Amino acid sequence: MPICIRDVALMASLAAGLVIASRLWDIASHMNSRMILACALLVAVTPVEWALEGALDIDSPALRVIVSVPTGIGGAFLVARLLGMELGRSSAM
């Protein structure tokens, strides 16, 4: 299966976001509903871009990377929040 530049950018930014979230564990573990909504909106950017790219017949690898980075970071913070809820941790990772 071919790998798109979007996939590479998502995985790299997800890894970077998890590193950032682990360093800022107090923020990630105490996210309020506004922060969770902001992260969810960041995650929703890539599917919207994907749909628009298909509908408008645009093929831009640079746009894919630019849009995928905030999606990966937002997803990482959501994952960190879910892990914090599951583990019941409030100290550093």
Side-chain angles (χ1 to χ4, degrees), residues 42-90:
L42 287 175
V43 171
V45 168
T46 292
V48 169
E49 180 266 334
W50 176 75
L52 288 175
E53 188 176 89
L56 300 176
D57 198 29
I58 299 170
D59 186 22
S60 175
L63 180 64
R64 291 178 188 162
V65 171
I66 291 168
V67 169
S68 296
V69 170
T71 298
I73 292 173
F77 271 84
L78 287 176
V79 167
R81 172 66 176 145
L82 291 173
L83 286 174
M85 288 173 47
E86 182 70 25
L87 299 175
R89 293 171 37 169
S90 62

Side-chain angles (χ1 to χ4, degrees), residues 6-30:
R6 181 186 293 127
D7 302 331
V8 174
L10 277 171
M11 290 299 121
S13 61
L14 185 65
L18 286 172
V19 169
I20 293 168
S22 71
R23 298 294 178 206
L24 302 173
W25 183 252
D26 289 335
I27 294 171
S29 63
H30 295 98

